[in-house]
Amino acid sequence: MVVKHILYRPSDTAEPTARGADAGWSSASDWGLLLVRLTFGLLMAGHGAQKLFGLFGGGGLTETARGFEALGYRPGRVFAVIGGLSESLGGLGLAIGFLTPLAAAALIGVMINAMATVTGAHGLWEANGGVEYSVCIAVLALAVALIGPGRFAVDRFFRWGRGGWPEGAVALGLAGVGSAITLSL
């Protein structure tokens, strides 16, 4: 019977089984996921703030809009705002674990566009201007949507706060549709 319990973990009891007998206590995985979310989310929010407000050494909206225009996004200012808000709000959403699949979708969508318009032509490695950085961001955002934001998240009180295949599919699907629309304009 013990072997059966260890090998079979139905999704509705996965949390207590994975967390140990006393589900009231937090585990190293809870704290590790919080660390990943906070670090990654806040850095992405800061990256967006560089674009929007010129914080942290960024060029601000005017310079970012010029860069977007040069890439063929017109009007550049509109796309700069969309990109900056996607990074800022997506990053903050992941950091606090709020609307996690949507936050992940925002970041994945921006990275798909970056790969399609800037880094894709340069191969894999960042040293050559390649997609390495964008792939890492997109995969980490998708992984958080799949895993779920964890115990220390606003979303823990909602169904999508547990993560899973549907949440990952929503994140990836919305990112793909948003990117396709953006790239077609």
Side-chain angles (χ1 to χ4, degrees):
M1 189 57 85
V2 172
V3 172
K4 182 179 178 186
H5 180 70
I6 290 171
L7 296 177
Y8 176 69
R9 295 181 182 177
S11 62
D12 59 338
T13 61
E15 177 91 13
T17 304
R19 305 286 184 223
D22 186 359
W25 290 95
S26 61
S27 68
S29 63
D30 293 323
W31 287 100
L33 189 54
L34 177 65
L35 179 64
V36 166
R37 280 194 0 260
L38 284 174
T39 302
F40 175 67
L42 292 176
L43 285 172
M44 289 309 301
H47 197 69
Q50 289 177 316
K51 287 178 175 63
L52 294 171
F53 311 114
L55 298 176
F56 314 117
L61 198 52
T62 302
E63 187 176 313
T64 303
R66 272 192 294 250
F68 273 72
E69 287 267 345
L71 291 170
Y73 291 99
R74 290 186 175 59
R77 188 171 189 84
V78 169
F79 285 100
V81 168
I82 292 169
L85 285 175
S86 295
E87 289 175 348
S88 292
L89 297 177
L92 289 174
L94 280 187
I96 64 172
F98 182 62
L99 299 174
T100 303
L102 299 179
L107 296 175
I108 296 166
V110 170
M111 293 304 111
I112 291 171
N113 276 275
M115 289 183 270
T117 60
V118 180
T119 60
H122 303 285
L124 177 61
W125 301 112
E126 177 67 26
N128 300 323
V131 298
E132 172 188 7
Y133 176 74
S134 299
V135 168
C136 288
I137 290 171
V139 168
L140 185 58
L142 179 58
V144 172
L146 287 165
I147 295 166
R151 182 178 302 264
F152 304 122
V154 175
D155 280 349
R156 84 176 276 216
F157 301 106
F158 302 103
R159 163 60 191 103
W160 62 84
R162 289 181 268 170
W165 291 115
E167 290 77 5
V170 164
L172 196 55
L174 287 176
V177 168
S179 295
I181 291 169
T182 302
L183 291 168
S184 71
L185 297 177

